[in-house]
Amino acid sequence: MATSYPGLESSMDKKSTEYSYDSKIEGDVIVTRIDAALRWFQKNSIWPMPMGLACCAIELMAAGASRYDISRFGAEVMRFSPRQSDVMIVAGTVTYKMALAVRRIYDQMAEPKWVIAMGACASTGGMYRSYSVLQGVDRILPVDLYIAGCPPRPEALLDALMRLQEKMSKQPLLATQKKVA
Amino acid sequence: MAESREIQVRDAGALASIPVSPDALPVPGEESAELRGDRMILNMGPSHPATHGVLRIVLELEGEQIIKASPEVGYLHRGDEKIAENMTYTQFVPYTDRLDYLAPLANNVAYALAVEKAMGIDKDLPERTRYIRVICAELGRIQSHLLGLGSYAMDVGAMTVFLHTFTEREKIYNLCESLTGARFTTSYTRIGGLARDLPPGWTDALSRFCEEVQINFDETETLLSRNRIFMDRTQGVGVISREAAIDYGLSGPNCRGSGIEHDLRKSNPYLVYDQLDFDVPVGSTGDCYDRYILRIEEMRQSVRIIRQCLDRLPGGPINVPDGKIALPPKEHVLTRMEELIHHFINVTQGVNVPAGETYFGHENPKGELGFYINSRGGGTPYRLKIRSPSFTNLSILPHLLPGHMVSDVVAILGSLDFVMGECDR
Amino acid sequence: MAGTARELAERLKSRFNTALSEPVEYRGEITLVVPDPQRIAEVCSAAKNDCGFDFLVDITGIDNYGEDPRFTIVYHLYGYSHCQALRLKTSVSEEHPELPTVTGVWRAADWHEREAYDMMGIRFMGHPDLRRILMWEGYPDFPLRKDFPVSGRPSNVPEVGFTRTAPLEGGPFVTVAGGKDTIAREPRARKPDTEGPEPKDRPEHKDNSSTSQSATGGAEPIEKKQ
């Protein structure tokens, strides 16, 4: 859990998205940037869109069950609606027949959105080098994180979620929006 | 882009006779002249929480009633049978895990038995291997039914049951991990035996698990069997008549729910099932509630079988002693010439299955999983056909769904308990 | 018990005489060959009504590449009342891969025949809805034929045949089915066009460049734009 979360003391020299908090001076008041606060809210309530296609979906469900509780990270809301979710976890083999549906669902997700390719089949096609399997979901979607394993353990999925939280916390939010506008 | 329309209350007859231009915006409540009545096409798409995988059903609805249903499968077709023609028999074992990925041990056992039947060595299996394979198959049955019932209950509305059954599944995962190395996709059996023997202390852990899982069955029954809402949603819904079950080729709990007393473990016994004492539950009405009760009872019988196997488990080798079939022990491979050659040929060319064709059907948790092996000699099959129970179980949907309401679809799909990895292969 | 299965097979054979071959037993299973594929529906109907084979287990298509007739269709039957199994086989040629459907006998045959059509291209006359089931509508090839490589083939109809070949770097390196001895069964790279029942008649690797199989010139993985 204590992988590379920036310590509060060293947040002074980090990039603009970190928050600064000095308990001696401010007490219960946190002084921060809007970017950092919004990113903190976002990363602690990632709502996944489980694109559970094959065996990896069972490990995804196991990660959501009581032993490897994904709800600790705020991600237990596995709504199957793309409009309400932040990250799409592609768990399982993507075939060419299914690829169209996966792409359409990704397009329906609202910005900002991320993609986790869970398992060997979603990352590179896995052990199915055949005529009907898309060799990696990154041929149709921009993937942020790849998880290896066939299927990956739920701990690996939780580790990926934590790395995604780190990645989210480093991306500037309002600056992107200002650029687009 | 939108043109303003007056919203008027019209009757269905007037609606049907009004010609509408093809590029008009569809407004809910109106339809084109092709459709008569109040029919609506609803697409339960491949990505749906309750379809247990990637199944697409196109429903034609009249109000809430289903008039026509056409399921579309193939969204997980990975080309297993084509891959099997390009692999040796042993190399194909991991692919069998991923067929019915809710009970991978049972698929491994089924495949190994099919290849051994094709080779004619199924009588030569050591006793210990047979008992361990029965334990694996029954563990797979408990695993699959736990998840089937858990997700069925979650779809129907009872979310707690899912968490309870998944806790028991985690215990089975622990057992599988200490036995095979992987929680889930086990690849445990080999042609002519098993990959490795039972680790020390595994049988005690298994008997402890059998005690604990019985409590879980009672809890699940307490939560669901007399639950007013569950009974309303499942009784009388999805009734499959006996004739339809036979005609559509259903097998497993789906056909037993409709009153057909057929279990491959009793009618064509394999491994040591003829020496074990267990009952086969059979339903009476063929509705979703029957199938649910049947699955719980099957799990209890599986625990009974496991207990008997643990009592009778003999010692001894776990592989057929022929070095050309099962890999010889490593210390012999590294020191003796003959075993080295056997090991080399076994790994590069595979076991030699004589030319001929066989079919072996295994009682999987979902139904009858069969492997048809057409061999022309050599280490790879000329044609391997996987007869998957979920494929045939799903073919009854166009016959079963019409007449029900949309919300019953979820209950019916959950009670049929199919898995798309097996259906599409 | 194969004894009872043999009796049922004999009964079926005595009813049809020349339309069925002698029952062949192998590994405890009985196989009957139907030489004329057009009579398969008749035979199946008799098997169901007279001999009690009310459960159609499976319909399989086999591609005998290089032989004539090219396709063999195998029916596995089972009876719930007597718990015996039977296998019926029939063959059709490549020029006319058609035979009558048995959906009138067992409705389970519906999807099995659709799959045989999808994978091999065998047409079933009288089928209520013969269209592809595992691949999508309009896919131009029949994947389980022996001349179709496991990695797929690029097609000339890119709207529907939009699959790319999977990277296999020269083909699967595996032993060949039907090799006579261990020398013939050594694992080699397999190209589907040169496969055949006689491995020693296969030409050696004509071109080692293996261009068609390892076409990895697909789309680059999409980079996320920042």
Side-chain angles (χ1 to χ4, degrees):
Chain A
M1 281 287 257
T3 38
S4 53
Y5 272 77
L8 293 175
E9 300 77 25
S10 62
S11 62
M12 296 295 181
D13 52 340
K14 287 288 187 202
K15 295 197 199 59
S16 61
T17 56
E18 300 311 314
Y19 53 87
S20 59
Y21 175 50
D22 191 342
S23 63
K24 289 196 196 104
I25 301 178
E26 279 105 15
D28 291 331
V29 176
I30 303 178
V31 175
T32 180
R33 294 171 166 265
I34 296 185
D35 247 9
L38 287 176
R39 282 297 188 203
W40 185 81
F41 296 146
Q42 250 181 359
K43 78 178 187 192
N44 283 318
S45 66
I46 303 177
W47 286 10
M49 160 89 207
M51 182 61 61
L53 303 168
C55 350
C56 283
I58 309 298
E59 289 295 48
L60 182 62
M61 288 155 74
S66 31
R67 185 168 169 185
Y68 305 100
D69 195 7
I70 209 174
S71 148
R72 297 178 274 173
F73 302 89
E76 83 274 12
V77 182
M78 292 213 185
R79 294 274 153 74
F80 278 76
S81 167
R83 309 267 188 212
Q84 299 172 10
S85 49
D86 298 313
V87 65
M88 179 153 92
I89 305 181
V90 183
T93 319
V94 186
T95 55
Y96 283 103
K97 195 169 178 181
M98 188 67 197
L100 178 65
V102 173
R103 178 75 214 187
R104 275 175 91 170
I105 292 179
Y106 177 75
D107 289 337
Q108 287 176 354
M109 284 168 73
E111 289 283 345
K113 53 190 175 185
W114 293 267
V115 175
I116 296 181
M118 177 177 176
C121 290
S123 311
T124 59
M127 61 183 193
Y128 292 100
R129 295 280 173 115
S130 69
Y131 50 91
S132 62
V133 171
L134 188 68
Q135 301 290 307
V137 78
D138 54 6
R139 288 182 188 251
I140 52 171
L141 302 178
V143 173
D144 288 281
L145 271 155
Y146 299 85
I147 312 180
C150 192
R153 290 185 65 106
E155 288 109 329
L157 178 63
L158 296 177
D159 180 55
L161 204 63
M162 281 157 47
R163 284 175 198 254
L164 183 66
Q165 285 181 334
E166 264 178 58
K167 183 170 180 175
M168 282 165 113
S169 67
K170 292 198 177 91
Q171 283 173 348
L173 176 70
L174 292 177
T176 327
Q177 288 197 337
K178 281 181 190 152
K179 247 188 275 178
V180 168
Chain B
M1 187 164 128
E3 39 184 41
S4 62
R5 290 168 179 263
E6 292 178 278
I7 299 180
Q8 305 169 19
V9 178
R10 304 182 215 174
D11 62 311
L15 266 174
S17 58
I18 292 175
V20 179
S21 67
D23 48 339
L25 244 188
V27 172
E30 289 185 6
E31 58 277 315
S32 71
E34 278 83 35
L35 294 173
R36 293 274 169 261
D38 292 284
R39 298 229 178 142
M40 181 175 99
I41 308 262
L42 179 70
N43 177 37
M44 270 182 85
S47 168
H48 193 281
T51 52
H52 300 270
V54 282
L55 168 70
R56 178 176 178 220
I57 314 182
V58 180
L59 298 166
E60 199 173 311
L61 304 173
E62 182 155 347
E64 280 268 330
Q65 287 246 324
I66 300 174
I67 306 297
K68 195 168 148 211
S70 44
E72 213 178 288
V73 299
Y75 287 95
L76 198 56
H77 176 64
R78 301 181 271 202
D80 270 351
E81 294 171 4
K82 186 84 184 174
I83 290 176
E85 293 170 15
N86 291 300
M87 295 228 152
T88 63
Y89 290 97
T90 316
Q91 284 174 329
F92 191 65
V93 175
Y95 291 86
T96 60
D97 284 334
R98 281 121 176 120
L99 283 177
D100 174 8
Y101 43 77
L102 303 178
L105 283 167
N107 305 342
N108 290 341
V109 169
Y111 177 68
L113 286 171
V115 180
E116 285 156 10
K117 180 175 180 185
M119 293 175 71
I121 58 167
D122 46 346
K123 303 284 178 291
D124 303 332
L125 277 181
E127 277 298 299
R128 189 172 167 86
T129 309
R130 289 176 211 250
Y131 277 99
I132 296 180
R133 281 187 181 178
V134 170
I135 292 178
C136 289
E138 297 306 317
L139 261 185
R141 194 179 313 276
I142 298 176
Q143 223 179 351
S144 166
H145 285 327
L146 276 175
L147 189 130
L149 289 178
S151 52
Y152 181 35
M154 185 168 73
D155 292 337
V156 168
M159 300 227 17
T160 321
V161 181
F162 174 75
L163 295 173
H164 279 236
T165 55
F166 245 90
T167 315
E168 299 303 315
R169 262 183 79 98
E170 288 290 338
K171 295 181 191 162
I172 300 185
Y173 282 167
N174 284 345
L175 289 170
C176 286
E177 195 175 13
S178 56
L179 178 68
T180 67
R183 277 160 56 98
F184 193 21
T185 44
T186 47
S187 305
Y188 182 50
T189 55
R190 298 283 182 269
I191 317 299
L194 302 167
R196 63 188 67 81
D197 208 342
L198 303 180
W202 196 77
T203 44
D204 301 324
L206 183 59
S207 27
R208 266 201 311 276
F209 165 75
C210 288
E211 311 283 334
E212 291 167 6
V213 82
Q214 298 270 35
I215 304 174
N216 183 277
F217 296 156
D218 297 331
E219 277 177 1
T220 310
E221 283 211 281
T222 318
L223 281 172
L224 288 179
S225 300
R226 289 273 159 256
N227 187 330
R228 187 75 243 157
I229 300 176
F230 189 74
M231 285 166 69
D232 277 343
R233 277 205 79 164
T234 54
Q235 277 181 342
V237 169
V239 176
I240 302 179
S241 66
R242 207 194 139 94
E243 293 74 33
I246 299 180
D247 212 17
Y248 279 95
L250 297 190
S251 49
N254 296 324
C255 88
R256 287 197 282 277
S258 303
I260 303 168
E261 294 178 32
H262 178 75
D263 189 329
L264 280 167
R265 299 173 288 174
K266 292 275 197 196
S267 60
N268 306 68
Y270 47 90
L271 291 173
V272 287
Y273 281 110
D274 42 0
Q275 301 164 24
L276 295 172
D277 182 32
F278 62 101
D279 301 320
V280 173
V282 176
S284 52
T285 36
D287 61 1
C288 296
Y289 190 71
D290 260 5
R291 292 192 279 273
Y292 150 76
I293 295 280
L294 206 123
R295 290 199 166 96
I296 298 225
E297 192 52 42
E298 270 191 12
M299 285 200 280
R300 292 191 202 275
Q301 296 299 318
S302 290
V303 172
R304 193 171 151 192
I305 295 176
I306 293 182
R307 286 222 176 95
Q308 290 175 48
C309 287
L310 284 176
D311 289 336
R312 303 185 193 195
L313 190 63
I318 52 163
N319 281 333
V320 169
D322 192 348
K324 291 198 276 291
I325 301 173
L327 290 181
K330 204 68 173 178
E331 54 268 13
H332 292 172
V333 170
L334 293 174
T335 50
R336 299 189 204 168
M337 193 60 190
E338 194 189 345
E339 270 82 347
L340 179 67
I341 297 177
H342 285 159
H343 181 104
F344 178 74
I345 298 211
N346 199 333
V347 169
T348 52
Q349 299 180 11
V351 297
N352 183 15
V353 173
E357 50 187 1
T358 49
Y359 173 82
F360 177 74
H362 178 266
E363 181 73 29
N364 236 34
K366 307 271 184 292
E368 176 180 340
L369 175 70
F371 288 94
Y372 166 67
I373 299 177
N374 183 317
S375 157
R376 295 197 176 180
T380 154
Y382 190 75
R383 173 84 166 102
L384 177 81
K385 171 81 170 28
I386 304 168
R387 188 268 178 202
S388 84
S390 302
F391 187 71
T392 37
N393 288 352
L394 275 178
S395 63
I396 204 177
L397 280 182
H399 164 82
L400 184 62
L401 286 180
H404 290 95
M405 296 203 270
V406 178
S407 28
D408 291 334
V409 174
V410 172
I412 294 173
L413 288 181
S415 78
L416 281 181
D417 199 18
F418 53 87
V419 64
M420 295 315 286
E422 196 176 45
C423 172
D424 296 336
R425 285 155 269 141
Chain C
M1 277 88 50
T4 334
R6 181 166 271 280
E7 285 161 25
L8 292 164
E10 298 280 352
R11 181 153 38 137
L12 202 58
K13 160 83 178 153
S14 62
R15 186 182 147 145
F16 279 98
N17 234 341
T18 49
L20 281 180
S21 73
E22 282 298 319
V24 173
E25 184 170 342
Y26 181 69
R27 304 269 189 251
E29 299 169 355
I30 311 278
T31 308
L32 289 168
V33 179
V34 182
D36 180 14
Q38 306 305 319
R39 300 197 64 182
I40 188 70
E42 234 182 287
V43 174
C44 288
S45 178
K48 176 179 176 183
N49 300 324
D50 295 342
C51 304
F53 288 110
D54 48 2
F55 178 37
L56 175 71
V57 177
D58 194 24
I59 301 181
T60 310
I62 308 178
D63 181 8
N64 312 308
Y65 185 67
E67 289 171 18
D68 187 45
R70 181 169 175 186
F71 297 112
T72 305
I73 298 103
V74 182
Y75 297 78
H76 287 95
L77 313 178
Y78 187 81
Y80 276 132
S81 42
H82 47 71
C83 297
Q84 299 299 320
L86 181 69
R87 183 184 297 127
L88 294 172
K89 288 172 74 159
T90 184
S91 305
V92 290
S93 65
E94 191 175 349
E95 296 82 33
H96 300 287
E98 288 148 5
L99 70 162
T101 181
V102 295
T103 41
V105 185
W106 305 278
R107 276 178 288 179
D110 191 344
W111 277 27
H112 284 124
E113 289 180 348
R114 275 179 69 185
E115 190 193 340
Y117 166 66
D118 187 7
M119 293 283 119
M120 296 269 185
I122 303 167
R123 307 194 65 89
F124 292 89
M125 303 179 301
H127 193 276
D129 184 22
L130 192 68
R131 59 191 160 95
R132 287 190 179 263
I133 189 169
L134 293 175
M135 305 302 285
W136 53 97
E137 275 302 310
Y139 185 72
D141 273 318
F142 297 110
L144 271 177
R145 293 195 173 181
K146 293 287 181 185
D147 48 352
F148 185 82
V150 70
S151 50
R153 230 194 328 236
S155 67
N156 47 8
V157 273
E159 312 85 49
V160 280
F162 46 78
T163 58
R164 298 184 193 279
T165 53
L168 270 174
E169 307 304 325
F173 297 94
V174 73
T175 178
V176 65
K180 292 202 171 32
D181 53 7
T182 51
I183 310 291
R185 279 192 246 134
E186 271 180 23
R188 299 205 168 91
R190 287 173 45 163
K191 293 188 181 174
D193 297 326
T194 57
E195 249 180 69
E198 277 303 307
K200 62 181 191 299
D201 292 339
R202 271 187 309 153
E204 290 305 313
H205 293 170
K206 284 201 285 276
D207 51 322
N208 286 325
S209 53
S210 62
T211 44
S212 63
Q213 298 300 332
S214 60
T216 47
E220 294 301 319
I222 301 177
E223 286 301 319
K224 176 134 191 198
K225 296 184 183 32
Q226 281 298 341

